[in-house]
Amino acid sequence: MGKGGALSDRVVKKIILSYTYVAVWIFLSFTVIVYNKYILDKKLYNWPFPISLTMIHMAFCSSLAFVAVRIFKLVEPAALSRRVYLSSVVPIGALYSLSLWLSNSAYIYLSVSFIQMLKALMPVAVYTIGIMFKKDSYKNSTMFNMLAISVGVAIAAYGEAKYDSWGVFLQLGAVVFEATRLVMIQILLTSKGISLNPITSLYYVAPSCLAFLAIPWLFVEYPLLKQQISGFHFDFAIFGTNSLCAFALNLAVFLLVGKTSALTMNVAGVVKDWLLIAFSWSVIKDTVTPINLFGYGLAFLGVGYYNHLKLQALKAKEAQKKAQPEDEESGKLLEQREGDGMGKKGDSQA
């Protein structure tokens, strides 16, 4: 009875911790998205410089990661050679910088709710790019699922009251670059046995992002900022807390994926998207039409089914791993019995 009660307590504690990680990640992701929208939107804080905002985030994250790794030595740096850094980390940093730049730019033109609907295309992009790089195999059933998600997003876009083609182009570009980054992490890092936690990831990737973002910043935003510099007062409270939220979100991603799974994060992401749509409609007063909801509902079903298939595949893989040691053990017992039998047969012949 005591053992059963202790086991039950451990299970309950694990469930509570898992939901806590999910809640923290949803809260921080929600906060960063709404905060970025507030800063970049011309009708709110009115600071429409997405490259500059992303560079502030990367500089802040790079600094904190450097302090954590080099000064306080909270985590050990990964053993990366210069060749691996240039061939693996730098391309990932370039893709990440493009993804962040375009996604932040989209907030200037599109509503928070519509952006979340467009983000439902992420599984489609990851699967398609995975096939292109031969990390995934083509399946008619999966492709039909991807088509259903795409149709749902297309219907949601058709029903968007404040549709902006340039904003949609920016967000779709962000989805493509982010999906490519996720696939390249598997190809360039995971396949080589290199794993980076969020602090070491920021330590290596954030400076690379900062360097890549500096190139378009010099030509696109620096001339505009130079004109406004006399009348602009840098608000350390606004940009400091915004950057801190972005850094905390990276740590939350590590906790959520490390303590649960990437699949849990995908499911939690769907919940977060619905919360953001509700918040955008009720608080920010964005227009959400019935066609919007119908289209996103269809896409949501497709994403949900995709996550269900991934969960089933994960369970099958774990069951296969558990079965292998049992098969090996059975084989050893069989060999031992056969050996004993041969020994006895030899004794009788003698």
Side-chain angles (χ1 to χ4, degrees):
M1 185 74 179
K3 288 183 179 179
L7 179 63
S8 178
D9 289 342
R10 285 198 298 271
V11 171
V12 170
K13 185 179 179 181
K14 187 176 180 180
I15 292 172
I16 292 173
L17 281 174
S18 296
Y19 277 106
T20 301
Y21 296 136
V22 169
V24 169
W25 177 78
I26 288 177
F27 172 76
L28 288 171
S29 182
F30 185 101
T31 302
V32 169
I33 288 170
V34 174
Y35 212 158
N36 287 352
K37 172 68 174 176
Y38 168 75
I39 291 173
L40 295 166
D41 198 302
K42 295 178 182 179
K43 297 177 182 178
L44 299 172
Y45 189 76
N46 190 26
W47 201 69
F49 300 105
I51 306 177
S52 300
L53 181 64
T54 309
M55 288 179 70
I56 291 170
H57 289 172
M58 290 299 103
F60 185 87
C61 290
S62 298
S63 301
L64 285 188
F66 180 84
V67 170
V69 173
R70 290 298 180 186
I71 298 177
F72 291 107
K73 300 186 184 300
L74 298 177
V75 292
E76 289 293 325
L80 296 179
S81 64
R82 179 173 295 182
R83 180 175 171 275
V84 171
Y85 180 81
L86 292 175
S87 64
S88 301
V89 176
V90 170
I92 290 170
L95 290 167
Y96 194 33
S97 65
L98 288 167
S99 171
L100 291 173
W101 170 21
L102 297 182
S103 62
N104 281 336
S105 299
Y107 286 111
I108 299 174
Y109 305 96
L110 303 176
S111 66
V112 171
S113 58
F114 187 43
I115 285 175
Q116 303 319 303
M117 295 176 189
L118 292 174
K119 284 182 180 179
L121 288 170
M122 183 60 73
V124 180
V126 171
Y127 181 65
T128 304
I129 293 169
I131 292 174
M132 290 170 59
F133 285 96
K134 298 181 179 180
K135 292 300 293 182
D136 276 308
S137 57
Y138 176 86
K139 294 179 182 177
N140 287 330
S141 57
T142 306
M143 188 54 72
F144 180 77
N145 186 21
M146 298 297 107
L147 182 62
I149 295 172
S150 302
V151 170
V153 173
I155 294 171
Y158 178 77
E160 176 62 18
K162 297 178 181 178
Y163 182 88
D164 186 287
S165 297
W166 179 242
V168 171
F169 174 78
L170 291 171
Q171 184 55 46
L172 292 181
V175 168
V176 170
F177 283 121
E178 178 62 13
T180 307
R181 183 183 76 91
L182 294 175
V183 173
M184 294 307 288
I185 285 175
Q186 290 183 332
I187 296 172
L188 298 177
L189 295 180
T190 309
S191 62
K192 297 177 182 178
I194 301 170
S195 60
L196 302 175
N197 63 49
I199 294 179
T200 53
S201 178
L202 289 173
Y203 176 76
Y204 291 109
V205 176
S208 174
C209 284
L210 192 60
F212 278 107
L213 288 167
I215 299 170
W217 179 78
L218 283 172
F219 297 99
V220 178
E221 293 187 2
Y222 175 69
L224 298 174
L225 284 167
K226 195 175 180 181
Q227 294 175 4
Q228 299 183 13
I229 199 70
S230 57
F232 174 71
H233 173 67
F234 189 85
D235 195 327
F236 285 95
I238 291 288
F239 292 101
T241 52
N242 179 248
S243 299
L244 188 61
C245 287
F247 181 78
L249 178 59
N250 281 278
L251 300 183
V253 169
F254 170 66
L255 283 174
L256 183 60
V257 176
K259 301 297 182 180
T260 58
S261 67
L263 187 61
T264 302
M265 182 175 165
N266 289 340
V267 175
V270 174
V271 176
K272 178 206 70 179
D273 290 343
W274 279 112
L275 289 173
L276 277 165
I277 290 170
F279 178 85
S280 178
W281 171 73
S282 61
V283 178
I284 305 178
K285 302 301 179 184
D286 285 335
T287 303
V288 180
T289 67
I291 299 177
N292 270 148
L293 293 178
F294 174 76
Y296 184 65
L298 180 61
F300 163 74
L301 291 174
V303 173
Y305 183 66
Y306 175 73
N307 288 332
H308 170 72
L309 291 178
K310 288 187 71 176
L311 179 61
Q312 296 303 314
L314 189 63
K315 285 181 178 179
K317 191 175 181 180
E318 288 179 353
Q320 188 178 3
K321 284 182 179 179
K322 288 180 180 178
Q324 283 178 350
E326 291 177 1
D327 292 341
E328 289 175 4
E329 188 66 29
S330 299
K332 288 179 181 177
L333 286 171
L334 184 61
E335 287 176 6
Q336 186 177 355
R337 286 174 184 173
E338 289 176 351
D340 292 342
M342 289 294 290
K344 289 178 180 178
K345 187 176 180 181
D347 291 341
S348 63
Q349 287 178 347

